[in-house]
Amino acid sequence: EAQVTQNPRYLITVTGKKLTVTCSQNMNHEYMSWYRQDPGLGLRQIYYSMNVEVTDKGDVPEGYKVSRKEKRNFPLILESPSPNQTSLYFCASSLHPGTSGYEQYFGPGTRLTVT
Amino acid sequence: AQKVTQAQTEISVVEKEDVTLDCVYETRDTTYYLFWYKQPPSGELVFLIRRNSFDEQNEISGRYSWNFQKSTSSFNFTITASQVVDSAVYFCALSDNTGGFKTIFGAGTRLFVKA
């Protein structure tokens, strides 16, 4: 089954404790992306990647890191989480922009609470 | 700069009514992509449609139709004969060549369909 998986689905942590949210897709997609969703703000892109070893900042990259060492995986790293990073996070993947398959498939979401 | 505006925060209709969700976008690129996604109460994000900037043909899929007008920078979504299952948050999104296909989402429109 074609899918994007995220782990964990729920996470409560404390300020300053490094954490990683994993994202994996099994569709051989080039494009992967992380978003955060906050009430009234829609989804805001944090980072995206057009392919292995290629990453770019989205609109809200501060406080986050990503890496793309393998095509299928795109982990999101919070080196020192703060309460303003409490949010619902989505990972997404798609074929390369410009192809007929450029439509993003989303993971189930990770609800993160930082206290 | 890219921008997507969904001016309608919430819309409430009675079942079988037609409803149109507005989306206005801004971009300087001539090549760009527009999307609609649905987020039902269960929280997942579901792709509905993609439109390329060079294809202004309107599209109909069952009860759903989309009106793309470059002259007014709008990509509106109409649900005909709405049903309770259409209750969801609907997001419009834009991706263009500027900065390598970063994706910008609107704030979303929450649609309530009452029986």
Side-chain angles (χ1 to χ4, degrees), chain A residues 31 35 37 40-43 45 48 50 57-59 90 97-104 106, chain B residues 33 35 37 39 43-47 50 91 95 98-108:
Chain A
Y31 187 97
Y35 299 88
Q37 182 177 10
L41 297 177
L43 282 85
Q45 194 171 40
Y48 62 102
M50 298 284 270
K57 295 178 181 178
D59 273 348
F90 286 99
T99 66
S100 61
Y102 182 37
E103 56 203 55
Q104 293 187 59
F106 284 82
Chain B
Y33 301 87
F35 306 84
Y37 290 88
Q39 187 176 42
E44 73 271 23
L45 283 150
V46 179
F47 166 80
R50 181 194 73 240
F91 292 100
S95 180
T98 304
F101 291 103
K102 190 167 69 171
T103 303
I104 300 293
F105 277 74

Side-chain angles (χ1 to χ4, degrees), chain B residues 45-90:
Chain B
L45 283 150
V46 179
F47 166 80
L48 294 177
I49 191 172
R50 181 194 73 240
R51 245 319 161 240
N52 307 329
S53 56
F54 39 86
D55 180 5
E56 279 194 80
Q57 231 179 353
N58 291 328
E59 180 146 342
I60 298 175
S61 175
R63 296 184 297 106
Y64 294 173
S65 62
W66 291 268
N67 182 6
F68 176 29
Q69 292 201 342
K70 287 174 78 170
S71 60
T72 55
S73 297
S74 64
F75 186 41
N76 297 337
F77 172 33
T78 297
I79 302 175
T80 302
S82 59
Q83 299 176 1
V84 172
V85 293
D86 296 326
S87 296
V89 180
Y90 291 88

Side-chain angles (χ1 to χ4, degrees), chain A residues 7 9 11 16 19-20 26 29-30 37 45 48-49 53 55 60 65 69 83-84 86 88-89 91-92 97 113 115:
Chain A
N7 281 292
R9 294 288 313 279
L11 179 59
L19 66 91
T20 299
N26 62 1
H29 284 165
E30 293 91 357
Q37 182 177 10
Q45 194 171 40
Y48 62 102
S49 168
E53 303 291 0
T55 62
V60 289
K65 283 176 58 176
K69 294 185 171 52
N84 64 12
T86 293
L88 178 59
Y89 292 86
C91 179
T113 302
T115 61

Side-chain angles (χ1 to χ4, degrees), chain A residues 74-107:
Chain A
F74 190 45
L76 179 69
I77 302 156
L78 284 71
E79 294 268 0
S80 182
S82 62
N84 64 12
Q85 292 179 298
T86 293
S87 188
L88 178 59
Y89 292 86
F90 286 99
C91 179
S93 75
S94 78
L95 290 173
H96 195 282
T99 66
S100 61
Y102 182 37
E103 56 203 55
Q104 293 187 59
Y105 292 84
F106 284 82

